[in-house]
Amino acid sequence: MSTSDPYIFATSHAESIVKGLKISALPVNPRRVAEELDFVVQAKPVEDRGCSGMLVRYGNNFAIAYATHLQNEGFENFSIAHELGHYYIPGHPEALIPGEQGTHVSRAGFNSGDRYEAEADRFAAGFLMPRHLFFPELEKAGKGLEAIEVLSFLCKTSLHATAIRFAQCTRDHMAIVISEGGTVDHCFMSEALKQVRGIDWLRKGQGLPACSSTLAFNRDPDRIAHAERVQDFSNLQDWFGGRRTIEIREDVVGLGSYGKTLTVLYDIDVPEEEDEDDESRLIDSWTPSFRS
């Protein structure tokens, strides 16, 4: 299983910009950064849906319009940072707005198959939650959904984006899943979990485990709309396959008007491979042979 991230350069580029700006504490304010670049930053009307933001160019002048229909400060900050990504990442301005003027319409949210949108999403996460500032806070925040909520409040970022960044930065075995109805929208696994042999990646469109609290939760749209939550136990094998039937924690929360659900899978106590080999040898040595 490959653990390479084709977009890691976009995250690293964002982090280097934050350092260059001498920003030394969270939260990072993307609107302020844009305005210091002499960008015009403007909110789109609440009724204007269909995209997360726009980058507008007129000669050497730029403007950012960001979506407000979700009424979510964290999503709005992410949308502005996403547009800054299109400005800062080498090659984006020329590819997305060829010529001296024009408009690029964005759809941020970590589920686009478009290379430029995916790169801008990773830039936004790294910009708002740069590892050198985010990781020390992560170490103090605890585990599960409660830790993600603490960091979301601190960084002024959405639960969705914060959960993904948590999975990218933590040393623990954990994963976050965004789902809708009975299927997976996308999943991010921590590096530690990616290294576990014998488990499978969760893919977009894959069905949720039949016995999971997430699937039961998603059957009631009102629970999602009202951002209700559930804390339960689950099993590693049900989510990721393999031969290990390890009990894990499953925190579930509805993402309100976004219409999707966030699941945090954590407290995954994977045995060391040496321990498993010793156990297998012990079982084999004590298994009697019977004559047929």
Side-chain angles (χ1 to χ4, degrees), residues 79 112 162 190:
S79 298
S112 174
T162 310
S190 69

Side-chain angles (χ1 to χ4, degrees), residues 256-272:
S257 56
Y258 188 44
K260 299 181 182 183
T261 296
L262 165 65
T263 300
V264 186
L265 303 171
Y266 65 106
D267 272 357
I268 304 173
D269 187 13
V270 179
E272 295 291 337

Side-chain angles (χ1 to χ4, degrees), residues 23-98:
I23 298 172
S24 59
L26 298 170
V28 177
N29 188 328
R31 176 193 289 272
R32 183 178 301 157
V33 173
E35 290 174 344
E36 288 176 354
L37 291 168
D38 290 328
F39 282 29
V40 175
V41 182
Q42 184 172 324
K44 295 171 61 189
V46 173
E47 61 273 10
D48 191 355
R49 299 170 178 262
C51 70
S52 63
M54 295 185 293
L55 180 66
V56 183
R57 180 177 185 177
Y58 189 81
N60 293 323
N61 299 313
F62 288 85
I64 290 174
Y66 62 92
T68 60
H69 62 275
L70 294 180
Q71 298 290 283
N72 183 307
E73 180 187 21
F75 182 77
E76 292 167 12
N77 284 336
F78 191 89
S79 298
I80 297 170
H82 179 102
E83 301 309 324
L84 285 173
H86 286 318
Y87 172 77
Y88 274 119
I89 298 174
H92 276 225
E94 298 80 7
L96 301 177
I97 310 178

Side-chain angles (χ1 to χ4, degrees), residues 103 110 128 197 252 263 292:
T103 300
F110 292 101
L128 297 172
R197 292 192 302 175
V252 187
T263 300
S292 56

Side-chain angles (χ1 to χ4, degrees), residues 188-248:
F188 280 77
M189 301 163 65
S190 69
E191 283 301 317
L193 188 58
K194 290 177 185 178
Q195 299 296 334
V196 176
R197 292 192 302 175
I199 65 172
D200 300 320
W201 292 80
L202 281 180
R203 304 294 183 183
K204 182 178 178 65
Q206 185 173 330
L208 293 168
C211 56
S212 67
S213 293
T214 301
L215 181 60
F217 185 92
N218 284 1
R219 291 189 177 116
D220 187 348
D222 286 341
R223 302 188 77 181
I224 299 170
H226 291 106
E228 292 186 22
R229 62 194 58 213
V230 171
Q231 291 184 314
D232 205 347
F233 291 91
S234 192
N235 193 287
L236 181 70
Q237 190 177 56
D238 292 337
W239 283 94
F240 299 104
R243 60 188 177 84
R244 298 177 177 90
T245 58
I246 298 172
E247 184 178 75
I248 64 176

Side-chain angles (χ1 to χ4, degrees), residues 148-173:
I148 291 167
E149 287 176 321
V150 168
L151 294 168
S152 173
F153 179 80
L154 174 65
C155 299
K156 297 190 184 304
T157 47
S158 68
L159 281 180
H160 182 189
T162 310
I164 290 172
R165 193 65 174 138
F166 193 104
Q168 291 173 332
C169 292
T170 184
R171 293 192 180 105
D172 294 338
H173 296 90

